[in-house]
Amino acid sequence: MRAPAIRGLGVLSGQGPGSGPAPIWTLPRPERPGDRFRRATRECLLALAAVDAMLEDGRAPREAIAGERTALLYVTAAAYGASNREFIERRGGVVHFAYTAPAVVPAEVAIEFGVTGAYGILIGGAPSTLRAIEQAARLLDEDRCDRALLLAVEIFEECGDLYARHRRYTRWPLVETAACLWLERGQGELRFQSSRGGKPAGPARRGGERFAAGPLADLREWLDRGATGPLELSGRWRDEHARLGWSTVRSHARGSAA
Amino acid sequence: MATPERVAIAAAGVVTPIGADLEAFWSALVTGVSGISQIERFPVADLKVQRGGEVKKLGRIKDWCGVSDCRATRLLIAAADDLCAQTGFRPLPLDPARVAVVVGTALGGVEEGERALAGDHPRRRFREALYDGPGDRLARWLGARGPVITVSTACASGATALGAAADLLRRDEADAVVAGGYDALCRFVLRGFNALRSLTPDEVRPFDRRRSGLLLGEAGALALLVRERDLRGPRLGTVLGYGSASDGFHIAAPEPEGRGLERAIRAALADARVSPRDVDFVSAHGTATLLNDRIETAALKRALGPRAHEVPVNSIKGGLGHTMGAAAALEAFMCLLSAQRGLIPPTLHLEEPDPECDLDYVPGRARAARPRIMLSTSMGFGGCNGALVLEAA
């Protein structure tokens, strides 16, 4: 499949060191003017902030991503956990219930930035994100959109005590991350591979676990290094291992060498 | 442009409030059986609306040994058991690494989260509360070792899952995909919809002028999808196309003109390479909320043009309730069974048509017809719109 070009990438990353049995590097709740956002959840506001960061990275106005030729793909393993817990424990009402749906995070992005094209929402960890990049490349290749946004959000703080019960989540810090990748048609080849087997994956990442947002944080790091040439992103979740290879990366994002 | 690989739905399996397998589901649809009842599985005394489409019998399985007691997982596995009974798909007759699972859900294992937070085995249940847990458990039950994907486009999830499954086969990532949708009724969602005041104390009356809201239901609905050229044996039909579009309007309310649904329908028709004139039957989302049915009618008229007035359009939510992540998959199976059996199930409880909903909504009783090309539409929270185009076998 033809590899997409990177037009912009915004990554907001939690800061350490955190404390407790499952140290969490948290992201603060972003401020956003407007009555509409008064009750918006932290994960929604972080998603919007990630899109802002992506636009800044791509030096583009918000109008550049509006319309029905923009596809929006959202991936998360667990960001809905905070809203679900809030609704369960505080017996939240009408407005809060709506925010428990994973679909509401990309919906806030679609509303705020006028994105009305094809969409998809995958629930899972890093392999789902790599699969979503491939899906975005295919949408571009098949001319179903002119640009594709890939949004990944993971937050942990609200369920920190629950993560702390599981050893697999306590070996590395859980790093809250909100990221958005803007893809357009590019050149070169994109290869996605996935396999299942072996023991279920625990966090195995230097610098912390970011679930679905991990590959986009890795990509940001790669771009920031000014790296060139082939790129391989990889990820694990449950017993799935996935890899995504870009033969060449054409990027207009900040820090890009290309 | 090359003709896309044709993907067949070889068979389907379900567990629903109106029938614990596909045949019982179909019989109940055509005879107008309602599966709406007082909810018994969890406390509802404090809720205004206490009825829904609750599954009273979880299929044929007597011994759940080794299967988690997560309701969502069991709905999925009960549907898979029905599918396997028809297809002999367990143990898997092909390389497990080439068998994929794609499921759609609005709620995942959220009830496990409720129970964990109430102190009921919190460590185990928290792990199962992740929305991709039931799909993972289904893959283990089947012995599938290929991709396992969970999609969550709210109440359009079942359509998204079938579309994604067809894509996996077209890309040769798998030789067979077990795909569909599920969701369980639980306090979490019933409290939420009670708070939204979307639930009706009356019957669910899609497209009726007296309609006053929806009732929720639970179900599991799974199909076996394979490339048509690989298929040996009968099939229910073919997935011709899938389309999606977001409203970009409101987190919980549909866009008042239905422009997002219209775009999704147009995208699905384009993907299927058929024109509106080819469509013979529409399975509507038809939730029986005041807004949904009016908006959907308008979107169908714009997307299908004059053809919208010429074809039957039904909604099966009157008898099932809104089964959320399972809804679109059940509706797709209903379409294919309609074509196979030559009968279109009626829209239950539609007695006084709303003048603003002026299409042919198949009121009263099942209608003799044998559609060839069918369109199934879905709308969900967050402005998720999905459409499937199916072809009869």
Side-chain angles (χ1 to χ4, degrees):
Chain A
M1 173 174 306
R2 185 158 55 146
I6 297 169
R7 180 75 170 79
L9 172 60
V11 178
L12 311 176
S13 212
Q15 300 297 310
S19 61
I24 292 170
W25 295 13
T26 57
L27 277 166
R29 178 186 169 90
E31 293 298 320
R32 200 167 190 95
D35 195 48
R36 193 166 77 74
F37 303 111
R38 198 163 45 87
R39 295 193 197 180
T41 55
R42 196 162 65 94
E43 61 269 28
C44 286
L45 293 170
L46 286 168
L48 296 170
V51 179
D52 288 337
M54 176 199 75
L55 289 170
E56 189 183 330
D57 186 58
R59 302 173 193 89
R62 57 196 284 136
E63 294 76 21
I65 59 169
E68 60 188 75
R69 292 293 294 171
T70 303
L72 178 58
L73 304 174
Y74 173 55
V75 192
T76 187
Y80 48 84
S83 300
N84 287 2
R85 183 174 196 174
E86 171 82 8
F87 184 73
I88 291 167
E89 292 192 328
R90 307 226 174 139
R91 304 184 65 80
V94 177
V95 174
H96 192 84
F97 175 66
Y99 280 107
T100 63
V104 165
V105 173
E108 284 284 23
V109 168
I111 295 164
E112 177 66 4
F113 295 96
V115 176
T116 56
Y119 71 91
I121 301 171
L122 295 173
I123 305 293
S128 296
T129 306
L130 301 178
R131 186 178 295 285
I133 293 174
E134 192 222 19
Q135 190 180 344
R138 200 172 59 257
L139 288 169
L140 288 162
D141 224 22
E142 294 172 359
D143 195 34
R144 295 186 198 210
C145 64
D146 292 331
R147 64 201 70 79
L149 308 183
L150 197 153
L151 180 69
V153 180
E154 298 290 8
I155 61 170
F156 306 107
E157 188 178 25
E158 292 84 348
C159 296
D161 58 322
L162 299 172
Y163 287 109
R165 292 172 187 265
H166 289 270
R167 194 167 157 267
R168 76 173 59 170
Y169 300 129
T170 59
R171 284 178 282 181
W172 283 268
L174 294 169
V175 183
E176 295 191 337
T177 308
C180 195
L181 172 64
W182 176 353
L183 297 171
E184 292 182 344
R185 282 183 199 87
Q187 291 175 342
E189 192 190 352
L190 190 75
R191 283 171 292 104
F192 173 76
Q193 285 182 304
S194 154
S195 63
R196 300 178 74 85
K199 291 164 79 173
R205 307 175 53 75
R206 284 193 320 261
E209 172 62 32
R210 300 169 191 263
F211 291 0
L216 299 190
D218 290 347
L219 179 56
R220 180 71 267 170
E221 198 180 310
W222 190 87
L223 291 169
D224 287 343
R225 284 204 308 268
T228 57
L231 164 67
E232 183 167 293
L233 299 171
S234 64
R236 300 173 65 191
W237 181 251
R238 297 190 187 273
D239 64 346
E240 183 179 13
H241 309 246
R243 285 184 300 178
L244 187 78
W246 245 291
S247 64
T248 52
V249 179
R250 290 177 61 87
S251 173
H252 307 282
R254 192 185 63 231
S256 308
Chain B
M1 190 182 289
T3 306
E5 179 83 52
R6 285 174 63 90
V7 173
I9 293 185
V14 305
V15 60
T16 77
I18 59 171
D21 58 43
L22 192 72
E23 279 307 317
F25 166 69
W26 173 251
S27 297
L29 282 178
V30 292
T31 54
V33 169
S34 172
I36 304 300
S37 64
Q38 176 73 20
I39 289 167
E40 298 168 346
R41 197 178 64 83
F42 52 89
V44 291
D46 59 322
L47 302 177
K48 191 175 170 198
V49 176
Q50 304 171 358
R51 297 177 310 138
E54 187 173 53
V55 173
K56 306 293 186 192
K57 181 174 176 279
L58 268 179
R60 305 177 311 155
I61 300 176
K62 300 281 188 296
D63 180 4
W64 289 92
C65 183
V67 176
S68 138
D69 66 351
C70 165
R71 176 77 169 180
T73 298
R74 290 195 171 186
L75 284 167
L76 260 185
I77 289 179
D81 182 59
D82 182 33
L83 179 67
C84 292
Q86 299 168 56
T87 56
F89 209 64
R90 189 172 183 254
L92 292 174
L94 61 167
D95 177 3
R98 298 289 296 169
V99 178
V101 168
V102 186
V103 292
T105 177
L107 299 167
V110 73
E111 187 178 35
E112 297 306 286
E114 275 188 298
R115 293 165 79 175
L117 290 168
D120 175 3
H121 298 88
R123 191 167 182 274
R124 171 167 63 87
R125 296 205 187 279
F126 171 62
R127 205 172 56 232
E128 299 203 357
L130 293 177
Y131 281 25
D132 61 337
D136 184 65
R137 237 82 72 218
L138 170 64
R140 289 170 194 273
W141 186 83
L142 286 165
R145 308 292 303 161
V148 180
I149 298 172
T150 294
V151 298
S152 184
T153 48
C155 296
S157 295
T160 308
L162 291 174
D167 274 349
L168 278 182
L169 289 162
R170 290 184 186 121
R171 294 202 309 276
D172 198 29
E173 270 200 67
D175 293 330
V177 186
V178 173
Y182 70 95
D183 266 315
L185 271 180
C186 60
R187 268 190 67 78
F188 178 91
V189 70
L190 212 64
R191 267 204 311 120
F193 274 84
N194 261 287
L196 283 172
R197 297 182 186 172
S198 304
L199 303 180
T200 179
D202 185 20
E203 302 289 0
V204 177
R205 301 181 183 280
F207 306 108
D208 191 293
R209 67 171 184 80
R210 299 165 300 161
R211 68 186 183 279
S212 52
L214 55 87
L215 288 172
L216 295 171
E218 61 182 356
L222 291 169
L224 172 63
L225 282 77
V226 293
R227 286 179 289 272
E228 273 192 8
R229 62 184 157 92
D230 296 337
L231 183 64
R232 309 282 176 270
R235 65 188 164 104
L236 270 178
T238 302
V239 178
L240 283 187
Y242 167 72
S244 68
S246 59
D247 278 348
F249 174 73
H250 192 275
I251 61 164
E255 194 273 321
E257 301 294 317
R259 298 286 174 193
L261 181 61
E262 180 186 351
R263 283 194 298 276
I265 294 170
R266 290 186 195 282
L269 294 173
D271 191 37
R273 296 161 196 228
V274 299
S275 83
R277 288 188 307 279
D278 297 318
V279 174
D280 301 313
F281 169 42
V282 178
S283 165
H285 191 56
T287 56
T289 63
L290 210 55
L291 273 180
N292 176 96
D293 294 4
R294 204 165 53 209
I295 289 169
E296 190 168 16
T297 300
L300 285 171
K301 286 182 190 173
R302 284 197 308 274
L304 299 183
R307 188 66 175 161
H309 289 276
E310 298 165 2
V311 298
V313 179
N314 80 351
S315 163
I316 59 172
K317 291 191 172 71
L320 283 165
H322 190 337
T323 53
M324 303 172 280
L330 289 174
E331 287 153 12
F333 304 163
M334 178 273 296
C335 285
L336 296 175
L337 288 167
S338 295
Q340 186 187 67
R341 315 284 169 98
L343 271 179
I344 293 177
T347 300
L348 207 60
H349 307 307
L350 167 55
E351 289 150 8
E352 298 181 23
D354 179 350
E356 288 194 77
C357 299
D358 56 351
L359 301 179
D360 174 8
Y361 292 109
V362 196
R365 63 180 61 180
R367 182 181 303 172
R370 206 171 279 280
R372 191 179 70 83
I373 303 289
M374 294 149 284
L375 170 70
S376 178
T377 55
S378 303
M379 303 158 77
F381 255 25
C384 297
N385 301 283
L388 279 169
V389 178
L390 304 153
E391 186 183 52

